[in-house]
Structure formats: structure tokens, C-alpha cells
Amino acid sequence: MDMSSPEQLIKQLDLDEQETAEWIAALHSVLDSAGPDRARFLLSQLSNAAREAGLQWRDARITPYINTIRPQDEAPYPGGSDAVAIEEKIAGILRWNALAMVVRANRAYGELGGHIASYASAADLFEVGFNHFFRARTAEFGGDLVYFQPHSAPGIYARAFLEGRLSADSLAHYRQEISAKAKGVQGLSSYPHPWLMPDFWQFPTGSMGIGPISSIYQARFMRYLEHRGLLAPQPRKVWGVFGDGEMDEPESLAALSLASREKLDNLVFVINCNLQRLDGPVRGNGHIVDELETLFGGAGWNVIKLLWGSDWDLLFARDASGELVDALNRTVDGQLQTFAANDGPFNREHFFGQSPGLQAIGATLTDEEIDRLKRGGHDLRKIYAAYHAAANHIGAPTVILAQTKKGFGMGTAGQGKMTTHQQKKLEQQDLVEFRDRFKLPLTDAQVQNLEFYKPADDSPEMRHLHARRNELGGFMPRRVDQRLPIAVPPLESHAQFALEADGKEMSTTMALVRMMGGLLKDAALGKHVVPIVADEARTFGMANLFKTVGIYSSQGQLYQPEDIGSILYYREAKDGQILEEGITEAGAISSWTAAATSYAVHGLPMLPFYIYYSMFGFQRIGDLIWAAADQRARGFLIGATSGRTTLGGEGLQHQDGSSHLVSASIPNCISYDPAYAYELAVIVDDGMQRMLQKNEDVFYYVTVTNENEAQPSMPKDAREGILRGMHCVSPSKQPEVRLLGAGPLLKEAMAAADLLEGIFSIKTEVWSVTSFSELARDGIACERNRRLQQSDHEAWVTQKLKGSRAPVIAVSDYVRAVPESIRACVPAHFVTLGTDGFGRSDTRASLRDFFEVDAKWIAYTALAEVYAGKKTADEMREIAAKLELDLDKPISTSV
Ligand SMILES: Cc1ncc(C[n+]2csc(CCOP(=O)(O)OP(=O)(O)O)c2C)c(N)n1
């Protein structure tokens, strides 16, 4: 016998069916007489008693493959059947316009791509949200936040077209953003991109997994702002509509337990379980819904299965023997997909034909009715009931597992087909069938021409659509940037110690933390600062902030901390300011993004500083940072313990020599690798001015190190050079060589200059390069402007180095590609040194020798240039010996 269904297993194991029936009757009687709370209490007590008796019993967690909400418990549909009918009509129109948009674009340019099948399956899920739940931001209400499944974007555009927010011209320029702009038309981005459509999209979701984790931390950040008294508590919700395939991304599930631990009942996930992903079924041989039910339920979420439409209710009512439920439990997703792809007669034969009992149930339906049996995610009434239950659930986040058909309504051309995800061409016959299926008032010619359809303004559909959105506060999605400047405190208020350091020893990390301490105390800015860490606060010397501003905890502190006696004790508080995320860089960056975009999402600018092990930033969570850039984040990312040779003993997986290469590739990320505390102070000040005062959509990546240095005071007039990327720290009248040192290796360059001058009498000039990437960007722009005859401005680096022909040697604690980026603008012979290769565990001195970036190697490199053609190989070997360098050692990249 097939033992695959839980019900069959139970039947096999049931030694005394009468006794079972009595227990179940007892439960029903309690439910009837005392209600669900009492029933739940008794079940918990039973479970406790079982555990005490050593039974080791655990709820199997998987419930039957039917709807969680019983028909009699469903909230009634507002507006009743009339509203359902009209909203179904609207959904049909949206489906058509979305489809037409994609097919049109691909008829014209086959390379453009786009998706039809995803929105076709999700349309009803969105429509119930748009018509009844998604509340827009108004003057009084902060608004709900919706994370849209990215490849359903055509449907969201289609709705904005009916709403009058997007023109038919725009729809005709789906995925043609550049050519549209040239014609003065608003083109439509492929997926939700605030960078490209800043008045429309709020949240980038195009990269799978980013939406789910971001939405969880967004819901949590809303609570943070409320608990800190910065945002008035309001019953706002965060809705996330995601794909079932998308749930395979680690980020999708990574923060589930945070959501339940924090009791985020302001969060609702709607998972569009069309059972398919791109290549085929999500779980052909199982049930993705059941798997997700176990995962979300186990993590403490309220789980609502929304599997079958209202027409199934009658069938379940006729299923006295439980055969129908059994059959559904048994039918794996691959088979459900095949049923979706086939017609009534096929389903009658292969599903209802499984047993006489099922045949009898099937016999009550015509083939047409079997064909039209709806899955839960296509039934507006069922969807409404699920959303209503979710929106009113208290104490935990809710996930709605909505079963749908991929490519719903695409007929034999696409519905449930293996290849449906990428289908973007439909034949005339398929289009006509689609029109008929959704009763669209289009002629064959209009169908052939893929004309967009918009009902008359005074039609019932349009009146209804507008009335619903009026009721819910306006249109969505909509991104608002109110440009609310925040006063930036004068540099001296928090960074005097750095500007006039006068040789005092400190690391740039210490300097940053001290500056942040000052900013936190500022009367105007202080409360907007959000320090974020992923379990490394002590590493970065931030433990003092635990006491002064506290660690945010929605529950306050329910225990006496072990170190309560110390002045810097571990203080958690409901209004704590630090977000201590634990060991989750993905979580911490999601919090950072929520804070860094709060100016637009909540109309409340915040200034987050996420301080982390630099190697675990761009390398590990680069895609989340890319999404933050798309979302126009404003804040500071602080790569601490940075530099491949500056973070000593930690070795290969910890030592970062590449983050500046990646950060340089993000257009609105301004990166710096400062050497001195005063440079850092100027950079942080500039960042605050640009982000908070001038409302520029940029964010800053700044690397700091834990190497103690004697910190000089800031020279006069250094500010511009620091910000543009380089300034002279040791000038020479007629230098024979110029050294460019960045970050922690400026110190080595300075020491190299001493060697060159002291031992070899070579006049040496030293520059501090605070940002190769800013120099390179400037250089690229100037070079292009010259080429295009627009201006003959010289790049900053060219201006600074053109006074001499002396060779230039550049060194940084990153791979050589970083300094190489300025080569085209250096008006002299140019040599770069860097830390290419795997890191090692050793002292800084050994590492710098290994990578050939210490003072001696820099000096030798300079001498090799100065003496080129003047000294023999033997003489150069003698120089190396004098410097105690091994010229025969292997290259650091050797394998
Ligand atoms: C990180 C990432 N990997 C891969 C993709 C490409 N991709 C886009 S949609 C998709 C399938 C999505 O399936 P599912 O989540 O089930 O959504 P459906 O379209 O079926 O509703 C894939 C693989 C992506 N966008 N992001």
C-alpha cells in the first residue's frame, strides 16, 4: 500500500478507531461549548502531559492539503458578489495589458525579454491587495509597504496605466528605458528599480531573496523607530509578495526566526505557490506548500494555506470518506502542474478517475466546470479571507501560501507548461483565446495589434478602481522623497581631537568610534544616528556605546546582565539605539538599508553607520549593497579591520584586499581608504553634508584599521585634496620620485621616503591617496570630456602630478587593480604595488614583506625606476641586499 499520505499512515496505525473517534468528539464538544481558546489550552496540556510521560511526541506540523481557513470562518467580501465580479473584470484587463506589453516589446525587439506567466498567476493576489488592503501614505498615515515580486512588474505597470499614472506610450516602452527617454517618454524598467523610476518603485526585488530578507528587517526597523519614539505607532503593514521558487534562496528564509522572535505582526508574506520556477517544478516530487508550512510554522509564523477556490468547497462537502483530501495529499506538485496544463477531460480521467469515490465526486461536474475549478490564489473571496485573517493576526508574522497556476489563463500556450516562465510570444489564436477567457471587449484586429485596453472613465470598472484606491489613500507603489535636510554639526564639535591630533597614537577605528560618540550626543543629529553591528562591537572598541545609547531590544532587558557592575555594562533597552544584529551580515545590511532609505520610506532621514569586518562586506553581501544603491540609500558603510596586511593574524578568509575594487563599481558609492584620523573626519563631515544636508542619493564606504598610528594634525588647505582623492603630505621641491600611499600603507610610503632620502639621497615626495576610485572617476570623466570636445579640464591627479616627470609609485593594501585604475591620468612613468593573492596568518611586517608592499620594497621599487638604465643587475642586487630583500622569493599570487 502507498504510505505517502499522513492520513493513510494514521489509518494503518489506528488500532482502535472507536477510541480515536471519542477523543475527536471530545475535542469538538469542547470547541462547541467553550471555544477555541479553551481547546488550544487543553491540547497544550495534553502535549505537556505526553512529554512528562516520556512520549517524545511532536506535532508533525504538516496539515492536510486543504485551506487553513474553513468556509464558515471566512470574512465576507466587501461589496459582495458585485465587487467580486467587477474586480475579476479589472484583473482580466490588467492581465491583458501586462501580456500585451511584453509580447509587443518582444515582437519589436526579440532580445528585450520579459515575463507573462508570473503575473498571470499572481494577478488576483495583487488585486485583492490593491482593492482592499494596501494602504498608501497620506498626510495622516505612514502607509503600508509592499515588496512586489519582480517579474510581475508588467502587471503593476498595467494597473498604473488604468489609474492614469502611466501613459500608453510608456507601456509601449517597457524595457526600453533609454530609447524612451530620447523620445521624451517615461520608459519602464524591467523590474522594480527606484534608481530608474524614483517616483514609482520603493523597493528593488529583482535579485531573488533580497525582497524577503529586506522586508523582514524593514518591518523590524519600523518597530525600532516607533519604540525609539521617532515614528508615531500606527497599524502599518509590510506586505511581501514572493515566488515559491524564490524561497530556495538562503536569504529568503534566513530571517524567519527574527520575524517571529520580534513578534512582527506588521508583516505579511504572500507566497505565490504556482509550483513552478524557471526550469520546471519547484518540488516536482513533493509539496512546496507543505515544506514551507513546516519551515515557517517551525520558525513561529502564523501559516495560512490558501490552496483551493470556493468551487472546491462543494466537493469537499461531498467527500464524506475523506478520499478527496487523501488524493490531494498524495498528488505531488509535478502532477498538480500537469493537471494545470491540461483540460477538463484529462483531469476527470487522471485525477477524479483514481477511485470510484472520486469518480462520483467528479461526476457532479461538467468537463468545463472541472477545467475551471479554481486554485485558492485565483479566488478573490478566498484571497480576501486569508488577507483579512493575516492583517488581523496578533503576535506573529503571517505567511499565506497561495496555490496558483503559473501562466493562469494562457491556455494551451502557456498555463502550467514547463517552459511558461520565459514565454513572451503568443500566436493570434492563443491571444484570441485569452481575450475570450477573460471576456475582454477587443476585436480580433485589436488583439492582433496587441492594443492596450482602458475602459471609459465613467465605466463601472474605472469608477470602482478609483473609489477603492481613494478609500485606501491613493495610488501605490509610489516613492516620495520630501528632501528634509538635517543640520550637520560643525566638524569641531565631534572631531577636534582628530583635526589637532598632534602626534597622538590612535587607530582610525578608534577615531571613528569617538566621532560617532560625539555625533550621537549632538542635540539635532544624535537621535538620527543608527549604529549597526553584526556581533563585532567589542572588536571595534564600541562597547562604551552599549551603556551610553543602549542596544535596541523590543522586549527591553528581562535579565540582569552579568556585567551589571561595570560602567560599560551590556544594556538592552526598548529605546536602545544600537542595532546589534548578531552574526548575520545579510541581516545587518538589511537593517542598514532600511535606515538608509528611511528618508523616503518614512519621510524620516536617519544616518546609519554599519561597522563590520571589511572582508565580510562587498565580498559576502555585495548583492544586498547593490540593491541598497538601487534604493538610493544614504549612510555610511564602515569596513573595519580592513587591508590585507593590516589585519594581521586572521589570515586568508579575513584579510580584505578587494572591497575597494567592488565598491568602485557602484556608481553612487563614494569610497575612501583614509590613512589619518583628520582625513576620516573630513570624509565623514562631507558625507553628512551631501547625504543629510544636500539630500544627494549617495552613500559612503570608508575603510578603517586597527593599527595604531601617530596621528598628525590636519595641514591647512588639505580638505579639497582629501575629498577629491589625494593630497601631498610630504612635499619636495624637485622630487626624483613620487610615492602615492593609501590608507595603512601611507605609513610604509613615508618610511620608504626616509630610506630613499637617508640612505640613497633620493629626493622623494609623498602623497596620501584617500580614494583611488574617486580619482579614477574624475579621470574617466575628464578624459571623455576632452575626447568629446566638451571641456579641457584636467583630472585632479593629473593636475597634482604634472609639475614633474619623476616616476610615480603607488601602493595600497588592496589588489593592484585598485591603483591601476588611475594609470591613464598619471603624467609620468607609473608603477603600482598591491596585495594580490591569498592572505596568510602572520605579523603585519611579515605580510608586508610577503606582498612586497613594505617600506623596503617600496624604496627598492622606487630605486629600480630612478636607476633604470643606470645601474647593472648586480648593482641592483646589492641594493636589495642592503635593504635585506630577497629578490628570488616567489610572487604572492603563486599557487
Ligand atoms: C538571485 C537570482 N537568481 C536568479 C534569478 C533569475 N530568475 C528570475 S525569476 C526566476 C524564477 C522564479 O520562480 P518563482 O520564484 O517560483 O516565481 P514565479 O515566476 O514562478 O512566480 C529566476 C530563476 C534572479 N532574478 N535572481
Side-chain angles (χ1 to χ4, degrees):
M1 175 178 181
D2 181 1
M3 301 265 292
S4 55
S5 93
E7 278 63 37
Q8 281 171 324
L9 255 179
I10 288 165
K11 271 190 186 154
Q12 275 251 314
L13 294 172
D14 199 347
L15 303 178
D16 187 343
E17 287 191 21
Q18 193 186 336
E19 187 181 42
T20 311
E22 281 166 15
W23 277 66
I24 291 170
L27 175 70
H28 282 299
S29 127
V30 171
L31 255 178
D32 291 344
S33 60
D37 284 345
R38 172 76 186 147
R40 270 192 285 269
F41 174 78
L42 284 179
L43 286 172
S44 307
Q45 292 302 103
L46 264 182
S47 163
N48 287 345
R51 212 178 6 260
E52 277 164 23
L55 278 188
Q56 299 186 356
W57 175 85
R58 258 183 84 219
D59 177 6
R61 291 239 171 259
I62 294 179
T63 56
Y65 207 69
I66 54 173
N67 293 344
T68 303
I69 301 176
R70 299 180 306 168
Q72 61 267 42
D73 297 332
E74 286 168 10
Y77 207 81
S81 301
D82 290 350
V84 170
I86 221 163
E87 288 173 22
E88 278 179 344
K89 246 182 169 172
I90 296 171
I93 297 167
L94 298 178
R95 280 191 166 95
W96 167 260
N97 286 336
L99 172 148
M101 197 184 313
V102 178
V103 179
R104 252 200 204 199
N106 281 276
R107 257 191 203 169
Y109 309 101
E111 76 221 58
L112 291 179
H115 305 88
I116 304 169
S118 302
Y119 178 68
S121 68
D124 302 301
L125 297 173
F126 282 122
E127 277 313 290
V128 175
F130 278 123
N131 286 317
H132 302 281
F133 291 92
F134 301 163
R135 295 160 301 176
R137 181 160 145 194
T138 63
E140 298 78 38
F141 183 67
D144 295 331
L145 307 175
V146 185
Y147 287 72
F148 291 97
Q149 192 189 24
H151 37 291
S152 287
I156 311 305
Y157 295 140
R159 185 163 234 281
F161 168 61
L162 287 204
E163 291 167 346
R165 295 199 292 153
L166 291 177
S167 66
D169 246 1
S170 280
L171 262 56
H173 285 86
Y174 166 65
R175 291 192 173 217
Q176 296 155 70
E177 296 163 90
I178 300 168
S179 38
K181 193 161 188 191
K183 296 182 212 160
V185 175
Q186 156 84 71
L188 304 181
S189 60
S190 49
Y191 302 113
H193 293 303
W195 189 262
L196 302 171
M197 295 177 67
D199 302 326
F200 196 85
W201 294 116
Q202 285 185 294
F203 307 111
T205 51
S207 175
M208 309 266 95
I210 302 253
I213 191 167
S214 305
S215 60
I216 292 175
Y217 280 89
Q218 180 67 254
R220 196 301 205 87
F221 190 69
M222 268 162 65
R223 287 276 160 86
Y224 167 90
L225 292 176
E226 288 176 6
H227 287 160
R228 287 194 50 215
L230 297 172
L231 213 58
Q234 286 185 335
R236 297 168 69 192
K237 296 273 181 210
V238 177
W239 295 80
V241 184
F242 307 116
D244 47 358
E246 183 171 10
M247 290 298 118
D248 279 343
E249 289 286 0
E251 291 87 352
S252 299
L253 302 176
L256 295 191
S257 58
L258 171 102
S260 53
R261 193 163 65 244
E262 294 286 308
K263 301 187 172 44
L264 297 180
D265 50 18
N266 58 347
L267 177 66
V268 181
F269 270 18
V270 179
I271 302 191
N272 175 12
C273 296
N274 56 32
L275 315 183
Q276 288 180 247
R277 43 180 159 79
L278 192 154
D279 284 342
V282 179
R283 294 287 181 274
N285 293 318
H287 276 160
I288 184 63
V289 166
D290 287 343
E291 189 174 322
L292 293 175
E293 177 185 30
T294 311
L295 286 166
F296 279 83
W301 286 53
N302 174 41
V303 182
I304 298 176
K305 281 161 119 168
L306 164 59
L307 304 184
W308 307 110
S310 307
D311 34 15
W312 284 82
D313 289 342
L314 270 179
L315 308 188
F316 290 125
R318 290 179 194 138
D319 180 33
S321 65
E323 256 179 280
L324 179 58
V325 177
D326 264 3
L328 295 174
N329 287 338
R330 245 189 353 254
T331 309
V332 293
D333 288 356
Q335 193 60 42
L336 283 167
Q337 181 192 331
T338 301
F339 289 141
N342 283 283
D343 60 8
F346 180 95
N347 278 271
R348 181 187 300 288
E349 184 184 343
H350 295 277
F351 181 73
F352 290 106
Q354 295 182 69
S355 71
L358 285 177
Q359 271 168 9
I361 294 174
T364 62
L365 302 167
T366 65
D367 283 352
E368 170 75 7
E369 283 168 337
I370 291 180
D371 197 29
R372 290 289 152 91
L373 279 174
K374 273 188 184 158
R375 295 195 175 166
H378 296 306
D379 184 319
L380 300 186
R381 290 177 192 276
K382 296 280 182 194
I383 300 170
Y384 180 85
Y387 284 16
H388 185 270
N392 290 293
H393 188 78
I394 293 172
T398 294
V399 60
I400 295 168
L401 302 171
Q403 184 171 241
T404 59
K405 291 180 181 173
K406 190 145 179 171
F408 182 66
M410 287 168 74
T412 48
Q415 182 172 291
K417 295 278 180 213
M418 279 297 174
T419 51
T420 191
H421 186 85
Q422 286 168 310
Q423 174 137 8
K424 35 205 151 274
K425 290 194 179 122
L426 290 173
E427 300 304 325
Q428 174 72 358
Q429 186 51 35
D430 299 324
L431 293 170
V432 166
E433 276 174 24
F434 191 92
R435 173 199 65 191
D436 297 344
R437 167 83 178 80
F438 294 104
K439 303 189 179 68
L440 298 157
L442 296 168
T443 64
D444 284 1
Q446 287 172 315
V447 168
Q448 170 68 26
N449 295 335
L450 293 165
E451 281 183 26
F452 299 127
Y453 173 62
K454 188 173 184 177
D457 285 348
D458 61 353
S459 64
E461 295 85 17
M462 293 295 269
R463 286 209 309 270
H464 185 82
L465 178 138
H466 283 292
R468 292 313 310 149
R469 286 317 310 168
N470 274 342
E471 175 79 20
L472 292 162
F475 299 127
M476 286 174 79
R478 190 166 65 97
R479 182 179 174 279
V480 190
D481 176 0
Q482 291 164 283
R483 311 193 84 70
L484 305 160
I486 299 235
V488 173
L491 244 181
E492 299 71 34
S493 74
H494 56 277
Q496 193 60 30
F497 72 94
L499 302 177
E500 286 179 16
D502 203 19
K504 192 161 178 270
E505 284 244 331
M506 78 184 103
S507 68
T508 44
T509 306
M510 277 164 70
L512 178 94
V513 172
R514 192 159 158 195
M515 282 173 215
M516 236 170 55
L519 295 173
L520 281 161
K521 283 191 200 120
D522 185 78
L525 175 68
K527 59 177 187 282
H528 298 270
V529 176
V530 184
I532 303 173
V533 287
D535 200 29
E536 293 284 358
R538 291 185 199 280
T539 314
F540 309 136
M542 291 170 64
N544 62 324
L545 297 183
F546 290 167
K547 173 68 195 313
T548 51
V549 295
I551 298 164
Y552 170 69
S553 158
S554 57
Q555 293 175 285
Q557 192 156 36
L558 307 177
Y559 60 97
Q560 187 188 58
E562 171 279 323
D563 56 352
I564 184 84
S566 91
I567 34 169
L568 301 179
Y569 78 93
Y570 194 85
R571 185 171 76 86
E572 297 194 60
K574 199 162 175 175
D575 62 353
Q577 198 158 349
I578 303 172
L579 286 171
E580 161 64 91
E581 302 297 11
I583 311 167
T584 164
E585 282 76 16
I589 193 73
S590 300
S591 274
W592 181 83
T593 305
T597 55
S598 168
Y599 70 95
V601 174
H602 307 293
L604 174 65
M606 300 298 286
L607 184 67
F609 287 82
Y610 170 30
I611 303 158
Y612 57 91
Y613 244 108
S614 80
M615 190 54 159
F616 304 139
F618 286 89
Q619 164 134 325
R620 181 158 186 139
I621 46 157
D623 200 22
L624 281 153
I625 301 177
W626 184 251
D630 184 349
Q631 209 180 322
R632 298 171 171 265
R634 300 175 189 167
F636 287 98
L637 292 177
I638 307 291
T641 50
S642 65
R644 186 158 274 154
T645 67
T646 305
L647 178 62
E650 292 291 285
L652 183 153
Q653 227 156 27
H654 288 65
Q655 291 161 346
D656 168 29
S658 56
S659 64
H660 276 288
L661 203 54
V662 185
S663 71
S665 68
I666 302 179
N668 52 343
C669 175
I670 316 292
S671 309
Y672 287 102
D673 183 23
Y676 295 137
Y678 71 76
E679 293 176 343
L680 178 66
V682 168
I683 291 162
V684 170
D685 178 63
D686 179 62
M688 293 194 295
Q689 303 276 1
R690 288 180 68 180
M691 297 186 287
L692 294 177
Q693 197 70 57
K694 299 181 193 152
N695 286 289
E696 285 185 47
D697 291 341
V698 292
F699 66 99
Y700 277 58
Y701 174 54
V702 187
T703 39
V704 292
T705 77
N706 58 357
E707 185 171 9
N708 276 335
E709 303 256 17
Q711 297 287 346
S713 297
M714 178 161 157
K716 254 179 61 186
D717 304 326
R719 186 179 173 102
E720 185 181 9
I722 293 171
L723 296 177
R724 297 197 65 174
M726 67 189 279
H727 66 118
C728 191
V729 287
S730 181
S732 170
K733 271 230 164 73
Q734 280 182 320
E736 292 163 84
V737 68
R738 275 93 53 89
L739 304 181
L740 312 187
L745 295 196
L746 175 62
K747 188 175 81 169
E748 299 292 340
M750 296 289 267
D754 289 345
L755 289 176
L756 289 165
E757 303 239 356
I759 304 178
F760 302 96
S761 303
I762 303 286
K763 283 194 243 114
T764 309
E765 187 167 87
V766 186
W767 294 75
S768 172
V769 176
T770 48
S771 177
F772 280 110
S773 52
E774 284 303 291
L775 291 177
R777 281 176 183 171
D778 175 43
I780 289 169
C782 290
E783 186 197 81
R784 176 181 178 274
N785 288 346
R786 256 199 323 279
R787 193 167 56 245
L788 304 190
Q789 316 297 331
Q790 292 179 354
S791 95
D792 55 3
H793 249 80
E794 274 180 340
W796 181 257
V797 58
T798 315
Q799 290 175 41
K800 296 293 126 182
L801 296 178
K802 73 177 178 185
S804 156
R805 296 292 300 160
V808 177
I809 319 292
V811 62
S812 90
D813 214 0
Y814 293 84
V815 290
R816 277 179 57 180
V818 172
E820 280 294 326
S821 62
I822 65 166
R823 176 174 291 282
C825 322
V826 178
H829 191 65
F830 185 50
V831 181
T832 58
L833 299 175
T835 56
D836 298 66
F838 284 126
R840 301 284 194 284
S841 311
D842 214 314
T843 59
R844 290 184 184 121
S846 300
L847 287 164
R848 287 174 186 168
D849 176 55
F850 176 80
F851 285 105
E852 300 163 21
V853 292
D854 65 7
K856 292 177 187 173
W857 281 105
I858 298 169
Y860 179 82
T861 308
L863 292 168
E865 294 309 316
V866 172
Y867 295 150
K870 295 180 192 149
K871 296 235 187 254
T872 63
D874 285 345
E875 285 169 326
M876 287 311 293
R877 283 199 170 265
E878 274 171 35
I879 288 173
K882 201 166 178 180
L883 289 168
E884 297 169 332
L885 296 177
D886 173 9
L887 294 193
D888 299 317
K889 74 191 263 303
I891 188 169
S892 59
T893 47
S894 64
V895 287

mmCIF file of all heavy atoms in Angstrom, residues 715-730:
data_model
loop_
_atom_site.group_PDB
_atom_site.id
_atom_site.type_symbol
_atom_site.label_atom_id
_atom_site.label_comp_id
_atom_site.label_asym_id
_atom_site.label_seq_id
_atom_site.Cartn_x
_atom_site.Cartn_y
_atom_site.Cartn_z
ATOM 1 N N PRO A 715 46.889 69.423 8.009
ATOM 2 C CA PRO A 715 47.556 70.588 7.402
ATOM 3 C C PRO A 715 46.498 71.558 6.868
ATOM 4 O O PRO A 715 45.384 71.146 6.534
ATOM 5 C CB PRO A 715 48.353 69.990 6.232
ATOM 6 C CG PRO A 715 48.238 68.513 6.350
ATOM 7 C CD PRO A 715 47.085 68.199 7.229
ATOM 8 N N LYS A 716 46.895 72.794 6.736
ATOM 9 C CA LYS A 716 45.966 73.793 6.189
ATOM 10 C C LYS A 716 45.617 73.436 4.746
ATOM 11 O O LYS A 716 46.423 72.860 4.034
ATOM 12 C CB LYS A 716 46.640 75.175 6.223
ATOM 13 C CG LYS A 716 46.066 76.055 7.321
ATOM 14 C CD LYS A 716 46.736 77.406 7.372
ATOM 15 C CE LYS A 716 46.529 78.118 6.046
ATOM 16 N NZ LYS A 716 47.241 79.367 5.931
ATOM 17 N N ASP A 717 44.465 73.781 4.326
ATOM 18 C CA ASP A 717 44.041 73.630 2.926
ATOM 19 C C ASP A 717 44.051 72.190 2.413
ATOM 20 O O ASP A 717 44.179 71.962 1.207
ATOM 21 C CB ASP A 717 44.922 74.478 1.990
ATOM 22 C CG ASP A 717 44.928 75.936 2.400
ATOM 23 O OD1 ASP A 717 43.865 76.403 2.889
ATOM 24 O OD2 ASP A 717 45.970 76.586 2.251
ATOM 25 N N ALA A 718 43.972 71.230 3.310
ATOM 26 C CA ALA A 718 44.028 69.832 2.844
ATOM 27 C C ALA A 718 42.653 69.315 2.426
ATOM 28 O O ALA A 718 42.554 68.296 1.735
ATOM 29 C CB ALA A 718 44.605 68.946 3.939
ATOM 30 N N ARG A 719 41.604 70.000 2.828
ATOM 31 C CA ARG A 719 40.254 69.439 2.675
ATOM 32 C C ARG A 719 39.930 69.024 1.234
ATOM 33 O O ARG A 719 39.474 67.910 0.980
ATOM 34 C CB ARG A 719 39.204 70.434 3.193
ATOM 35 C CG ARG A 719 37.794 69.834 3.176
ATOM 36 C CD ARG A 719 36.734 70.791 3.718
ATOM 37 N NE ARG A 719 35.423 70.223 3.507
ATOM 38 C CZ ARG A 719 34.692 69.624 4.433
ATOM 39 N NH1 ARG A 719 35.152 69.507 5.660
ATOM 40 N NH2 ARG A 719 33.516 69.120 4.136
ATOM 41 N N GLU A 720 40.166 69.909 0.297
ATOM 42 C CA GLU A 720 39.781 69.594 -1.082
ATOM 43 C C GLU A 720 40.493 68.340 -1.589
ATOM 44 O O GLU A 720 39.889 67.446 -2.181
ATOM 45 C CB GLU A 720 40.053 70.780 -2.021
ATOM 46 C CG GLU A 720 39.518 70.463 -3.415
ATOM 47 C CD GLU A 720 39.760 71.569 -4.437
ATOM 48 O OE1 GLU A 720 40.500 72.522 -4.131
ATOM 49 O OE2 GLU A 720 39.205 71.451 -5.543
ATOM 50 N N GLY A 721 41.800 68.280 -1.317
ATOM 51 C CA GLY A 721 42.572 67.125 -1.771
ATOM 52 C C GLY A 721 42.080 65.834 -1.134
ATOM 53 O O GLY A 721 41.969 64.796 -1.799
ATOM 54 N N ILE A 722 41.783 65.904 0.149
ATOM 55 C CA ILE A 722 41.288 64.703 0.848
ATOM 56 C C ILE A 722 40.035 64.197 0.140
ATOM 57 O O ILE A 722 39.882 62.999 -0.128
ATOM 58 C CB ILE A 722 40.968 65.034 2.328
ATOM 59 C CG1 ILE A 722 42.242 65.366 3.089
ATOM 60 C CG2 ILE A 722 40.211 63.885 2.983
ATOM 61 C CD1 ILE A 722 42.011 65.910 4.495
ATOM 62 N N LEU A 723 39.125 65.118 -0.164
ATOM 63 C CA LEU A 723 37.847 64.702 -0.731
ATOM 64 C C LEU A 723 37.966 64.298 -2.196
ATOM 65 O O LEU A 723 37.267 63.397 -2.648
ATOM 66 C CB LEU A 723 36.799 65.809 -0.562
ATOM 67 C CG LEU A 723 36.469 66.113 0.909
ATOM 68 C CD1 LEU A 723 35.483 67.259 1.009
ATOM 69 C CD2 LEU A 723 35.909 64.862 1.605
ATOM 70 N N ARG A 724 38.880 64.943 -2.913
ATOM 71 C CA ARG A 724 39.000 64.589 -4.331
ATOM 72 C C ARG A 724 39.831 63.333 -4.537
ATOM 73 O O ARG A 724 39.781 62.724 -5.599
ATOM 74 C CB ARG A 724 39.562 65.758 -5.122
ATOM 75 C CG ARG A 724 38.584 66.942 -5.056
ATOM 76 C CD ARG A 724 38.840 67.969 -6.092
ATOM 77 N NE ARG A 724 38.618 67.441 -7.438
ATOM 78 C CZ ARG A 724 38.665 68.192 -8.529
ATOM 79 N NH1 ARG A 724 38.900 69.482 -8.412
ATOM 80 N NH2 ARG A 724 38.473 67.668 -9.711
ATOM 81 N N GLY A 725 40.585 62.940 -3.493
ATOM 82 C CA GLY A 725 41.275 61.655 -3.601
ATOM 83 C C GLY A 725 42.747 61.643 -3.276
ATOM 84 O O GLY A 725 43.299 60.593 -2.992
ATOM 85 N N MET A 726 43.438 62.795 -3.326
ATOM 86 C CA MET A 726 44.848 62.781 -2.929
ATOM 87 C C MET A 726 45.312 64.171 -2.511
ATOM 88 O O MET A 726 44.830 65.182 -3.038
ATOM 89 C CB MET A 726 45.741 62.250 -4.057
ATOM 90 C CG MET A 726 45.824 63.131 -5.279
ATOM 91 S SD MET A 726 46.684 62.303 -6.651
ATOM 92 C CE MET A 726 48.390 62.555 -6.180
ATOM 93 N N HIS A 727 46.222 64.192 -1.544
ATOM 94 C CA HIS A 727 46.838 65.456 -1.134
ATOM 95 C C HIS A 727 48.265 65.172 -0.703
ATOM 96 O O HIS A 727 48.606 64.058 -0.306
ATOM 97 C CB HIS A 727 46.013 66.136 -0.023
ATOM 98 C CG HIS A 727 45.978 65.382 1.271
ATOM 99 N ND1 HIS A 727 46.484 65.880 2.445
ATOM 100 C CD2 HIS A 727 45.503 64.152 1.581
ATOM 101 C CE1 HIS A 727 46.307 64.996 3.427
ATOM 102 N NE2 HIS A 727 45.703 63.951 2.931
ATOM 103 N N CYS A 728 49.088 66.212 -0.819
ATOM 104 C CA CYS A 728 50.507 65.999 -0.555
ATOM 105 C C CYS A 728 50.770 66.065 0.948
ATOM 106 O O CYS A 728 50.353 67.008 1.616
ATOM 107 C CB CYS A 728 51.317 67.076 -1.277
ATOM 108 S SG CYS A 728 53.075 66.703 -1.262
ATOM 109 N N VAL A 729 51.451 65.060 1.472
ATOM 110 C CA VAL A 729 51.749 65.074 2.909
ATOM 111 C C VAL A 729 53.234 65.283 3.172
ATOM 112 O O VAL A 729 53.637 65.562 4.296
ATOM 113 C CB VAL A 729 51.268 63.778 3.611
ATOM 114 C CG1 VAL A 729 49.767 63.764 3.739
ATOM 115 C CG2 VAL A 729 51.756 62.524 2.893
ATOM 116 N N SER A 730 54.055 65.134 2.144
ATOM 117 C CA SER A 730 55.483 65.384 2.318
ATOM 118 C C SER A 730 56.036 65.925 1.001
ATOM 119 O O SER A 730 56.465 65.158 0.131
ATOM 120 C CB SER A 730 56.184 64.083 2.754
ATOM 121 O OG SER A 730 57.546 64.324 2.940
#
